[in-house]
Amino acid sequence: MTVVDFHARIKPGDAEPGRLLAVMDAAGIDRAAVCAGGLLPLDRLARQLDDGGRTEAAADNEGVLRACERSAGRLLPFYFADPVRDVEAYGKHAFDFRGLEISPAVHGGRLDDPAVAELVAIAESARHPVYVVTVAQPGARPADLVRLAARFPRVTFVWGHCGHTGLDIAGLHTVEGRPNVLAEISGCLTVTARLAVTRLGAARVLFGTEYPLQAPEVELCKVAALGLGPSDREAVLGANACRVLGWEASWTRP
């Protein structure tokens, strides 16, 4: 079974991708989808989750791309897009990447912003999944994600962390009826992850770690605690990610 971390972050530099790959090896994770991290201090991110706001710091998407190129195929780059300024750049470089992240928590804004629709339209043409963490701010809640997903039924949307509270059961109910929205379970409580599998079905649930903010072993223990049968466990830990990302589920490390 190939284990795939659908959501890890790296701050590009001399230590990457070696540091992340070493962590993956220690945890038994074969491959990972990665996005730029370190855009703002954690205390500011926490405030923005509660109160809104945005950072003007730019994601080092090119650095992520270079790190992934040095990973022997184990890391897959996502483009971290700021709707205010990255529509043109993402359109120009989309086919160098394998997915898109839009984060109201980091860049503020609303999911009904025309610029967000432009980004998703580019993702659709590139056949990218779109990773979104919803927040409590107007325009960026689970219902707003569902409305966006309904406009783009051929795009796979991934609801990051099952919301931002760890216990967003109401949000889980909201996304349940929108089949092109999948749930990524890093950071949420075990009860939320279990309900995600029960309500959405194992085929719509993705394992992730939120490295480096979370130890991958913690998230693997959470999946183990769900008590899934072999086929559902395989789906959550890797097969679903391979399907969404276009990877071979039988891939083995070089």
Side-chain angles (χ1 to χ4, degrees):
M1 179 179 64
T2 299
V3 178
V4 180
D5 176 357
F6 198 86
H7 186 63
R9 296 193 184 278
I10 58 173
K11 186 175 182 180
D14 293 341
E16 298 295 1
R19 181 183 298 167
L20 173 55
L21 293 174
V23 169
M24 290 166 58
D25 287 341
I29 297 171
D30 298 292
R31 309 183 84 176
V34 298
C35 204
L39 272 71
L40 69 172
L42 291 180
D43 57 349
R44 180 173 170 184
L45 176 60
R47 288 197 301 271
Q48 289 189 187
L49 284 168
D50 288 338
D51 304 326
R54 67 174 266 110
T55 181
E56 297 295 333
D60 188 359
N61 292 303
E62 289 302 312
V64 169
L65 187 62
R66 290 193 300 271
C68 290
E69 289 170 348
R70 298 193 300 271
S71 72
R74 295 182 65 188
L75 304 180
L76 197 65
F78 271 46
Y79 193 99
F80 196 175
D82 178 355
V84 171
R85 60 185 175 195
D86 284 340
V87 173
E88 182 179 354
Y90 177 53
K92 186 179 296 185
H93 299 290
F95 287 93
D96 295 329
F97 292 81
R98 296 293 295 277
L100 169 69
E101 178 172 0
I102 300 168
S103 177
V106 173
H107 293 122
R110 299 173 58 97
L111 296 178
D112 57 4
D113 186 327
V116 170
E118 290 184 68
L119 288 169
V120 175
I122 295 167
E124 182 175 30
S125 68
R127 303 183 71 178
H128 285 173
V130 178
Y131 185 95
V132 181
V133 179
T134 56
V135 294
Q137 307 304 316
R141 295 168 175 159
D144 302 296
L145 174 59
V146 166
R147 282 189 284 269
L148 179 62
R151 292 180 59 189
F152 294 92
R154 293 185 295 180
V155 175
T156 298
F157 290 83
V158 177
W159 185 41
H161 313 311
C162 285
H164 75 287
T165 69
L167 191 62
D168 192 355
I169 306 305
L172 186 60
H173 176 73
T174 299
V175 305
E176 182 178 354
R178 189 67 245 167
N180 61 321
V181 177
L182 281 61
E184 183 270 320
I185 59 174
S186 66
C188 70
L189 297 178
T190 304
V191 66
T192 310
R194 185 175 291 113
L195 282 171
V197 174
T198 300
R199 295 184 179 183
L200 306 184
R204 289 175 61 189
V205 178
L206 297 160
F207 165 73
T209 67
E210 184 63 341
Y211 168 91
L213 299 186
Q214 178 76 302
E217 291 86 353
V218 174
E219 294 298 328
L220 288 165
C221 285
K222 182 167 70 183
V223 173
L226 300 180
L228 303 177
S231 61
D232 285 352
R233 183 173 180 273
E234 181 175 352
V236 170
L237 283 177
N240 295 337
C242 289
R243 182 185 74 246
V244 171
L245 297 170
W247 270 341
E248 291 292 331
S250 59
W251 180 89
T252 56
R253 299 185 199 180

